[in-house]
Amino acid sequence: MWFGKKYVASGQCIEGYEVLDVIGEGRYGICYLVVHNGKRYVYKDFKKREWKKSGEKAFLEAEILQMLRKPFFPKLFHVVHTKEKYGLLLEYIEGSTIEEWLFRDEYIFLKEERKKIFLQLLECVRSLHQMEIVHRDIRPSNVIYHQEKIYLIDFGLARKQNETKYVPQVDFSYLGHFLLYLYYSDFPKKQLKKKPWYDELPLSEKEKLFCKRLLGFEPKFTNIADVEQFYCEL
């Protein structure tokens, strides 16, 4: 029992994997930390009602994960698909999410570390966009940071690009919000006055312009190469 809901308990098995803990829950499924033959994995157990209702979209995450071959994305090891069950066995990545660093640990990301993290994140996004994939959920809870390396996880909302809804600019907006979280980690809480970020944060005019362009203000970025070039010039 976890937050009043029923989950597979620690020590029990799910599809042959021993459950160690519950990692989290989203709309479509529950993620468990599991172990098999001494090795840890993440098992994403999809809620039957949701994956049945979503049809082919439910299988897009596995399809996209199978395309990824970079070390900063989780590996997909196995797909469980029966009439009653659908689940993914994924690589377990050590470390804490940026969200945990920010809000649990109250960690302050200074300039050089911010830059190192954001450049790695841009590399992740560039790799996805080259494969014509948009992640659509690049938030602090979906970026793991461990030993100065980042890993982008949770491809439940990822889609193949098209010319209408699933466009690169969707990811740019998330990148803008992500960068603002890093900036605010270095901002004294006692100075928060509910001002717009561009008035509150001590950013240069070029930094403000960069964030505004990511967030969709004119002129918008059109591709990840332009984003990377602009950021490297800050």
Side-chain angles (χ1 to χ4, degrees):
M1 192 73 71
W2 189 59
F3 292 119
K5 298 179 181 179
K6 291 183 178 179
Y7 297 91
V8 178
S10 175
Q12 294 185 356
C13 287
I14 180 168
E15 299 302 319
Y17 303 96
E18 182 185 349
V19 172
L20 298 179
D21 201 358
V22 177
I23 295 176
E25 179 183 12
R27 174 182 171 185
Y28 294 102
I30 303 164
C31 285
Y32 295 93
L33 175 62
V34 299
V35 64
H36 182 67
N37 291 334
K39 186 173 181 180
R40 293 185 172 193
Y41 302 90
V42 172
Y43 183 82
K44 186 171 184 177
D45 189 25
F46 283 76
K47 300 172 183 177
K48 183 178 178 181
R49 182 178 63 181
E50 294 296 337
W51 72 265
K52 289 283 188 182
K53 184 172 65 175
S54 58
E56 291 299 316
K57 286 184 179 179
F59 310 122
L60 279 173
E61 183 173 2
E63 184 180 337
I64 287 172
L65 285 168
Q66 287 170 338
M67 298 169 62
L68 307 181
R69 293 291 183 271
K70 300 290 186 180
F72 37 70
F73 302 129
K75 295 181 180 127
L76 173 65
F77 292 112
H78 182 56
V79 177
V80 174
H81 188 194
T82 68
K83 288 183 179 180
E84 299 298 322
K85 297 286 290 181
Y86 183 65
L88 307 178
L89 185 70
L90 304 163
E91 177 185 9
Y92 171 68
I93 298 172
E94 295 280 353
S96 300
T97 66
I98 293 292
E99 182 179 68
E100 290 168 331
W101 281 88
L102 288 170
F103 299 109
R104 182 193 66 193
D105 304 333
E106 298 186 345
Y107 186 80
I108 294 174
F109 292 98
L110 299 179
K111 183 176 180 179
E112 289 306 312
E113 194 170 24
R114 284 199 305 262
K115 189 166 187 177
K116 183 179 296 185
I117 289 170
F118 199 70
L119 283 173
Q120 289 184 63
L121 190 55
L122 290 180
E123 184 181 358
C124 293
V125 176
R126 172 163 47 84
S127 180
L128 291 176
H129 288 190
Q130 286 174 345
M131 293 184 286
E132 299 188 340
I133 295 168
V134 285
H135 187 278
R136 300 176 65 232
D137 203 17
I138 305 169
R139 60 181 78 239
S141 58
N142 288 333
V143 177
I144 293 174
Y145 185 47
H146 184 60
Q147 294 182 348
E148 298 187 349
K149 294 182 180 179
I150 67 115
Y151 305 86
L152 182 59
I153 62 172
D154 196 346
F155 284 77
L157 295 180
R159 297 291 184 267
K160 295 179 181 177
Q161 286 184 25
N162 59 27
E163 296 181 357
T164 54
K165 185 177 181 181
Y166 305 130
V167 295
Q169 285 78 10
V170 174
D171 283 344
F172 299 161
S173 179
Y174 276 102
L175 287 170
H177 286 290
F178 184 93
L179 185 56
L180 288 177
Y181 273 107
L182 297 184
Y183 278 131
Y184 266 106
S185 76
D186 189 27
F187 189 80
K189 291 183 175 60
K190 62 183 179 181
Q191 293 183 24
L192 290 171
K193 296 180 180 179
K194 295 185 178 179
K195 292 182 180 180
W197 62 266
Y198 43 82
D199 288 334
E200 190 166 56
L201 291 170
L203 304 177
S204 69
E205 290 304 312
K206 197 163 186 179
E207 286 174 315
K208 291 179 184 179
L209 177 59
F210 178 69
C211 290
K212 286 180 178 181
R213 291 186 67 182
L214 283 175
L215 294 171
F217 295 93
E218 298 292 346
K220 299 177 182 178
F221 286 110
T222 58
N223 59 72
I224 191 65
D226 288 345
V227 174
E228 288 182 301
Q229 181 178 347
F230 196 113
Y231 186 70
C232 288
E233 293 174 354
L234 291 179

